[in-house]
Amino acid sequence: MTPRSLCHATSLYRMAGGRDLTSYLVPTDFDSDTDVRLDTVACRLVSGSLRSDRPKWAEHVTSLTGEPADLPGVHPFAVLLVPLDSWTYALTWGAGHLLLEDELVEQGFGLLFGIRRLNEERLGLVASAALDATARTTQTSYPGGSDLSGFRLEPYGELVTRMAGSADLSGLTYGKPYRIKVGDALWAPFARDPKALLDDLRAVGAVVDQPDEHSALRFVAQVRKLAPYDPALPELNQRLGEALGGDERHGPLGLAWPSEMVHEAEQATEFTLRTPVDTVVVDGPIELVDLTDHFAGIPSGDRMDVLRRARVTASADDAERSSTAVKWIAFETTVGHTRFCFLQGKWFKIGENYVDQIHEQVARLLTRRANLRFPTWVPTRQPDDEHQFCRQVAGQPGYLCLDKDFASTPLHPRFELCDVLGPDNELVHVKWLGRAQAASHLFIQAQVSADALRDEPEAMLQLVGKIRDLDPERVLAAPPDTVVLAAAGRAWRVDSLFTLSQIALLRLDRTLRGQRMTLKFADVPYVPKRKSRERAA
């Protein structure tokens, strides 16, 4: 057994090697900046204190009490940069992590170690984010540890960002199980002895390079966000730039809605695209062609720069809200055997085997067809287009329109139970799938409704009341057991859905099955939308 005093827990980061050691740190003043040696390896140690004369909240304290609150702060730090083999490792103490150049830090390095060494039956913390329009983030902790089932992780589209728990540290100086923390960094005990530390770093690298097929946590690495310095980015951005001009060779391009603007985008009657080159005003719902027609006139190599500097404004009545245009684009492409997805302004990497598994399962799921009838959807380009169509559907015997007839419960203050209720009390959610993220919004609407009906008695009572108001002779004897997603604009096919939308769909189906509900699909006959826009100076 190695005595605890021979090791000390700290944070370890990894970055691509081959650079001058000064490039790994943000420019700042160091109290000490020294070249040091660990055994035969030339390293760099910087240390000092980050100082602040007055915290931002001090003025609030003074305004409330009249008492001065000049409270200078000092945050000590140290960073040891160790070039080893093809990598540069950074050990940080105190506020040292703030000194590292974010763009050079390997994303998920600690997670790669954790996948291979964490005990999946004694996890203490898992933090994750959903890859869908909600951008939901979750952190679950078990002080005494839990197996994977306790964290309710989704098998699809769950971007795990941090984990903690008991881990096997055999091969390192510490050698015994220890509660580590992993994310971009690995927080674990490392040797105090210089030569032993180098052995520890090599051992960590060897663990990360091991196959992960025997790990119950391997799904964590299936979807990863690309680091800003990832070598694949130049080619990916070039492909996206070409797609922005209408080139479809490299993969599908779609129009998405920023997660923070879903409500405004749905209600908007006018959209404005402002770029350094021009301004485009779209009267009515914005379509992908409104952007691609504009970017086609910009040189391909300049399009990504223009996209990142442009903004899209959604206007409704007297209110408007804008966001950077890059968040309005979704794109997918395959390089080698890896699928890359662009969403909400970020690139994600998805293993090709994982993508194949998703496509196979979605293909089977889409065979579940609802036996429902729909009139042809003729788009009007008006804000209430969907509502008018739902009223048409409800003109048929046995159908009821509940679109825009909002329900309210303590957990869900404003939501739609469904757009249309079918003849056998199917909860039918209707959407025109002209945008990449329209499908994800449809899935979220169905999910919220099902959750409310399962968890909140008020939701069921309101559904019964709404049915009685529309048809006094109709009685809902039992909770609905079928959810139907009805789509126009494109058919329900695997090749018509973005991979991230398919991930969200599988997540929805899994949840509904857990609630004893069946998910089905319907293709709505439709007339294609026509482009209508005007260009303003």
Side-chain angles (χ1 to χ4, degrees):
M1 288 291 183
T2 302
R4 186 181 295 271
S5 60
L6 295 184
C7 299
H8 187 276
T10 191
S11 295
L12 177 69
Y13 295 82
R14 191 167 78 167
M15 296 164 281
R19 292 172 172 262
D20 187 281
L21 294 183
T22 59
S23 67
Y24 294 108
L25 302 174
V26 298
T28 191
D29 293 328
F30 306 116
D31 294 346
S32 175
D33 187 350
T34 310
D35 293 328
V36 298
R37 298 191 72 83
L38 298 184
D39 194 33
T40 60
V41 179
C43 308
R44 182 187 181 199
L45 172 67
V46 298
S47 60
S49 297
L50 299 176
R51 298 176 176 85
S52 60
D53 294 333
R54 194 168 190 250
K56 293 181 178 179
W57 45 262
E59 183 179 350
H60 192 196
V61 173
T62 301
S63 69
L64 291 172
T65 67
E67 296 295 324
D70 295 327
L71 303 169
V74 177
H75 305 282
F77 67 82
V79 179
L80 177 62
L81 297 170
V82 184
L84 196 64
D85 302 326
S86 59
W87 302 97
T88 292
Y89 292 90
L91 290 94
T92 68
W93 296 266
H97 62 285
L98 300 175
L99 278 297
L100 299 180
E101 280 284 5
D102 286 341
E103 293 189 357
L104 301 181
V105 172
E106 181 182 1
Q107 305 289 301
F109 160 66
L111 287 169
L112 294 177
F113 183 90
I115 289 168
R116 293 157 175 81
R117 287 300 184 91
L118 279 168
N119 183 344
E120 64 270 16
E121 296 182 354
R122 294 190 60 192
L123 294 174
L125 177 146
V126 174
S128 63
L131 284 180
D132 58 26
T134 66
R136 166 187 55 82
T137 60
T138 304
Q139 177 173 306
T140 306
S141 300
Y142 285 92
S146 173
D147 61 17
L148 270 175
S149 63
F151 293 90
R152 298 182 179 274
L153 288 172
E154 296 286 350
Y156 307 105
E158 195 84 17
L159 182 65
V160 175
T161 55
R162 288 181 294 120
M163 295 190 295
S166 178
D168 171 16
L169 296 187
S170 59
L172 278 72
T173 300
Y174 191 78
K176 306 185 296 294
Y178 190 87
R179 190 182 191 277
I180 66 172
K181 304 171 187 176
V182 297
D184 289 340
L186 164 62
W187 186 86
F190 294 102
R192 296 175 184 267
D193 177 75
K195 187 175 184 304
L197 174 64
L198 296 179
D199 292 339
D200 281 352
L201 299 184
R202 291 190 176 97
V204 168
V207 169
V208 169
D209 290 339
Q210 291 173 355
D212 65 0
E213 63 264 23
H214 300 300
S215 171
L217 300 173
R218 67 189 304 253
F219 71 92
V220 170
Q222 298 280 17
V223 180
R224 300 306 319 152
K225 184 172 69 174
L226 262 62
Y229 67 89
D230 193 286
L233 280 177
E235 180 176 356
L236 294 176
N237 286 327
Q238 177 185 342
R239 291 186 177 197
L240 177 51
E242 293 172 359
L244 285 170
D247 190 333
E248 300 179 354
R249 290 177 301 161
H250 302 305
L253 183 77
L255 187 66
W257 285 346
S259 57
E260 68 273 17
M261 284 185 60
V262 171
H263 177 73
E264 289 82 356
E266 286 182 330
Q267 303 298 321
T269 57
E270 181 182 277
F271 292 84
T272 305
L273 169 67
R274 292 184 175 88
T275 76
V277 178
D278 202 352
T279 297
V280 175
V281 177
V282 180
D283 183 17
I286 191 170
E287 302 293 341
L288 178 63
V289 69
D290 296 314
L291 274 71
T292 54
D293 277 4
H294 176 73
F295 278 96
I298 300 172
S300 177
D302 297 335
R303 289 172 188 161
M304 284 301 297
D305 179 62
V306 172
L307 179 68
R308 294 188 185 280
R309 294 164 60 192
R311 297 190 70 82
V312 173
T313 300
S315 305
D317 299 328
D318 296 329
E320 65 178 33
R321 187 173 179 185
S322 69
S323 73
T324 177
V326 75
K327 289 189 174 183
W328 289 76
I329 290 295
F331 178 63
E332 288 189 12
T333 189
T334 300
V335 179
H337 297 289
T338 303
R339 179 68 59 91
F340 294 90
C341 302
F342 187 79
L343 180 70
Q344 300 292 325
K346 300 181 179 65
W347 281 104
F348 297 90
K349 178 170 64 175
I350 304 177
E352 192 60 24
N353 290 337
Y354 186 52
V355 172
D356 291 341
Q357 295 173 21
I358 291 170
H359 288 181
E360 290 173 5
Q361 294 186 55
V362 170
R364 290 195 296 270
L365 180 60
L366 294 179
T367 61
R368 297 187 206 152
R369 295 289 165 156
N371 186 24
L372 296 175
R373 297 177 57 189
F374 295 93
T376 300
W377 189 335
V378 181
T380 64
R381 295 190 64 88
Q382 298 301 313
D384 65 346
D385 185 35
E386 180 182 306
H387 180 65
Q388 293 301 324
F389 176 72
C390 290
R391 292 183 62 181
Q392 280 186 272
V393 177
Q396 305 175 119
Y399 293 79
L400 300 177
C401 177
L402 295 181
D403 183 56
K404 294 188 180 299
D405 188 358
F406 295 100
S408 178
T409 66
L411 293 179
H412 303 89
R414 179 183 168 88
F415 71 100
E416 291 179 320
L417 290 158
C418 62
D419 294 314
V420 173
L421 192 72
D424 293 323
N425 296 326
E426 302 95 335
L427 297 172
V428 185
H429 300 275
V430 179
K431 186 69 68 177
W432 185 284
L433 298 185
R435 297 172 299 277
Q437 285 306 96
S440 293
H441 299 149
L442 181 64
F443 306 155
I444 293 166
Q445 177 180 320
Q447 180 70 69
V448 169
S449 170
D451 287 345
L453 288 169
R454 178 196 62 183
D455 298 332
E456 301 181 271
E458 301 95 334
M460 187 62 186
L461 290 174
Q462 290 178 52
L463 178 58
V464 171
K466 293 178 187 297
I467 293 173
R468 184 171 55 245
D469 291 342
L470 293 171
D471 184 354
E473 297 182 0
R474 185 163 175 175
V475 177
L476 184 63
D481 60 5
T482 302
V483 173
V484 178
L485 303 181
R490 61 176 105 168
W492 285 114
R493 299 194 315 269
V494 171
D495 59 3
S496 69
L497 290 171
F498 279 72
T499 298
L500 295 181
S501 293
Q502 294 183 43
I503 288 172
L505 182 57
L506 290 175
R507 183 188 302 128
L508 172 63
D509 177 61
R510 179 172 179 264
T511 302
L512 292 179
R513 283 189 284 113
Q515 297 172 196
R516 298 183 179 180
M517 303 179 83
T518 301
L519 180 63
K520 294 185 178 181
F521 301 85
D523 291 325
V524 175
Y526 66 93
V527 173
K529 289 184 177 181
R530 290 185 298 173
K531 179 182 65 173
S532 174
R533 68 183 178 90
E534 62 186 62
R535 188 175 295 271

